[in-house]
Amino acid sequence: MAVHPQPMEQSPLQALGTALQDHPQRRAIERSIVSLLEIARGSSDPDEWRLINGALADIRDGLSVFAPHRQTRKVTVFGSARTNPEEPAYRLAQELAVEAVSRGFEVMTGAGGGIMEAANSGAGCENSIGLNVDLPFEQHANRYVNACNGRLLHFRYFFTRKLFFLRESDALVVMPGGFGTFDELFESLTLIQTGRTPPIPLVMLAPSGDHFWPDWLQDIQQGLASRGLISPEDTSLLMQASTAAEAMEHICHFYRVFHTAQFAEDRMELLLHSPIPSETLSVLNREFDDLVDEGSISQGESCDSNGILRPCLRFHLDRRRIGLLYRLIDRLNALPFEVDPAIEQPGQRICTVPPCP
């Protein structure tokens, strides 16, 4: 009886070489490997490699968890982990999550207690995603998201957690909170203001009669805008609400005509649910001339990340005027023409328009 030798198990590097042969992102993967080799030549410090391994593991886990949920828009809720169930803000966070789910959105939180727990309880396990971070206190995954199979992430680092919050969010709702909440708010504002993340609605929500956000916004306007430390239109990045329905109305209105934004070479593309009449385009060019770095706003078609062909506006964006970009999006969403409700549900990224050739 002939004895056939067992195939030798491939090493990780051999397995990588096999996987790369027909991979569509082979060039990008090879560049990543080159970067790791360059680090390896200059570093044998275990702490540095612990950082690299931990960050890559966070990214790997994040991509794996979010892959099945890419077609549903997500509302991220930030707020204090110390808010008690008896407080109005806790009940409001629950109501917000219920309202978001009823409109087709999923709800994403930091997976902790307080406001995060309230939002996960309102959304339910099947519509919640939790992005937990390892902390010595306060940050234990709440019971509403802890039992959700495949919907809870444990991050090693804050920076990778923030990366996925902004990468996967289609809207941000910020409720009263402390240092952590303000850190998340200002990180989001910085990435939006500098154009490092596509435009998404950012709503500051507090119960009716609570002056937490109005007082803060007044301080921002008086302390920053009036001194020229931010552009006057930067406050257009922020919306306020005092009820769950009002917050979700802001978010759904943001996607009434606007679908998403993407950069194509050196141009900004605003992908839309409906084309803009030519006479309206002329008006927009006059109103938003300061937004365009050179040339003018033109209309065409472009494919989104799902390969769907959509109407779009193209222009060279002055990246110092992101607040003005938000005003343009608001202007588009307020245009007085009917948008077919069958084209797109607010909480869904995929619709039934023709695919790209």
Side-chain angles (χ1 to χ4, degrees):
M1 181 176 178
V3 178
H4 298 285
Q6 296 293 320
M8 295 182 62
E9 184 178 348
Q10 287 186 317
S11 71
L13 288 177
Q14 290 171 327
L16 179 61
T18 302
L20 279 180
Q21 289 178 4
D22 299 311
H23 200 287
Q25 300 301 324
R26 176 176 176 173
R27 297 295 185 189
I29 297 170
E30 288 174 345
R31 287 195 295 269
S32 299
I33 295 170
V34 169
S35 295
L36 285 173
L37 288 172
E38 289 173 348
I39 296 172
R41 291 190 186 103
S43 173
S44 59
D45 188 321
D47 288 337
E48 292 178 358
W49 283 101
R50 193 176 298 115
L51 169 65
I52 294 167
N53 290 332
L56 288 175
D58 278 354
I59 293 171
R60 176 202 63 206
D61 295 345
L63 294 175
S64 175
V65 165
F66 281 106
H69 307 288
R70 286 274 158 70
Q71 309 316 324
T72 303
R73 293 193 189 273
K74 298 165 191 65
V75 176
T76 290
V77 183
F78 294 135
S80 176
R82 304 185 184 192
T83 303
N84 296 318
E86 299 77 22
E87 296 182 45
Y90 189 100
R91 295 191 295 273
L92 182 56
Q94 287 179 314
E95 294 168 4
L96 171 71
V98 171
E99 186 76 19
V101 170
S102 73
R103 295 180 184 239
F105 292 81
E106 291 185 330
V107 174
M108 190 157 60
T109 76
I115 294 296
M116 295 171 279
E117 175 185 283
N120 288 136
S121 70
C125 191
E126 65 279 7
N127 295 297
S128 288
I129 296 178
L131 276 62
N132 196 28
V133 65
D134 295 328
L135 289 177
F137 65 95
E138 278 190 353
Q139 194 68 11
H140 303 290
N142 66 69
R143 64 184 184 275
Y144 298 103
V145 75
N146 196 30
C148 298
N149 185 33
R151 286 176 168 267
L152 176 63
L153 274 160
H154 292 280
F155 284 92
R156 297 157 183 80
Y157 301 114
F158 273 106
F159 75 89
T160 47
R161 182 178 183 240
K162 290 176 181 177
L163 166 68
F164 278 93
F165 266 134
L166 269 296
R167 187 178 190 272
E168 303 294 341
S169 294
D170 299 277
L172 304 172
V173 177
V174 189
M175 300 190 67
F179 290 157
T181 300
F182 275 99
D183 175 56
E184 291 158 341
L185 170 59
F186 279 108
E187 176 84 6
S188 302
L189 280 172
T190 299
L191 293 175
I192 291 171
Q193 185 200 43
T194 55
R196 301 301 294 178
T197 191
I200 57 174
L202 199 165
V203 182
M204 299 181 298
L205 176 64
S208 180
D210 187 330
H211 295 283
F212 189 92
W213 292 123
D215 289 349
W216 176 82
L217 188 57
Q218 184 177 7
D219 290 341
I220 292 294
Q221 291 170 331
Q222 292 179 350
L224 299 181
S226 65
R227 298 178 64 178
L229 301 177
I230 61 174
S231 300
E233 67 263 18
D234 281 344
T235 53
S236 300
L237 306 178
L238 301 162
M239 294 174 276
Q240 294 187 72
S242 58
T243 68
E246 184 184 6
M248 286 309 304
E249 191 57 40
H250 281 313
I251 291 168
C252 290
H253 181 74
F254 193 88
Y255 294 108
R256 176 180 176 266
V257 175
F258 173 75
H259 175 70
T260 193
Q262 59 189 22
F263 280 98
E265 298 177 353
D266 59 342
R267 297 174 300 173
M268 164 70 81
E269 292 185 341
L270 300 184
L271 276 59
L272 311 176
H273 299 315
S274 178
I276 303 301
S278 56
E279 59 273 17
T280 302
L281 183 60
S282 298
V283 173
L284 293 177
N285 266 298
R286 290 195 298 270
E287 290 182 4
F288 292 93
D289 181 64
D290 289 344
L291 179 61
V292 181
D293 203 26
E294 61 177 78
S296 61
I297 302 172
S298 62
Q299 186 163 208
E301 291 182 325
S302 187
C303 288
D304 67 13
S305 59
N306 294 297
I308 293 175
L309 189 64
R310 297 181 183 275
C312 78
L313 299 181
R314 294 190 183 96
F315 54 94
H316 293 268
L317 173 68
D318 183 345
R319 294 185 184 232
R320 298 166 298 179
R321 307 301 297 273
I322 298 297
L324 198 56
L325 174 64
Y326 269 65
R327 291 185 181 178
L328 171 59
I329 293 171
D330 188 57
R331 180 77 165 79
L332 292 170
N333 289 322
L335 289 173
F337 57 77
E338 291 296 323
V339 176
D340 186 350
I343 289 179
E344 177 112 355
Q345 296 299 317
Q348 301 300 313
R349 291 195 179 101
I350 290 290
C351 63
T352 56
V353 297
C356 288

